[in-house]
Amino acid sequence: MKDHVYKLIELTGTSPTSIEDAVGKALQRAHKTIKNLCWFEVVETRGSIEKGKVHRWQVTIKVGFGVEG
């Protein structure tokens, strides 16, 4: 069995709708240019406020992907 090596990057996704949507947008964007996405971990959740309500969610995630070779 081959040993696996992973690289870890940090991304921040945003959404006016939800935390899940912000994570999904970050992963969709990463998928366009990075192969072998394997897992993610939410490391920070925050947002902006407008007129006393949540205006936009900001979610920072760490994303792991397999390194080929």
Side-chain angles (χ1 to χ4, degrees):
M1 185 173 173
K2 195 174 182 181
D3 290 327
H4 298 280
V5 175
Y6 299 93
K7 180 162 179 72
L8 189 63
I9 60 170
E10 193 169 273
L11 303 169
T12 299
T14 65
S15 170
T17 310
S18 69
I19 293 168
E20 291 85 359
D21 191 45
V23 170
K25 286 180 179 182
L27 293 174
Q28 287 172 2
R29 179 59 186 89
H31 178 70
K32 289 181 179 181
T33 57
I34 301 171
K35 296 180 186 178
N36 304 321
L37 296 175
C38 297
W39 55 269
F40 74 93
E41 172 188 359
V42 174
V43 295
E44 186 173 28
T45 305
R46 61 187 173 277
S48 60
I49 303 166
E50 190 172 285
K51 297 181 183 176
K53 295 183 179 181
V54 174
H55 178 324
R56 183 166 287 280
W57 292 98
Q58 299 172 333
V59 182
T60 300
I61 59 175
K62 290 184 180 179
V63 180
F65 58 95
V67 176
E68 296 179 356

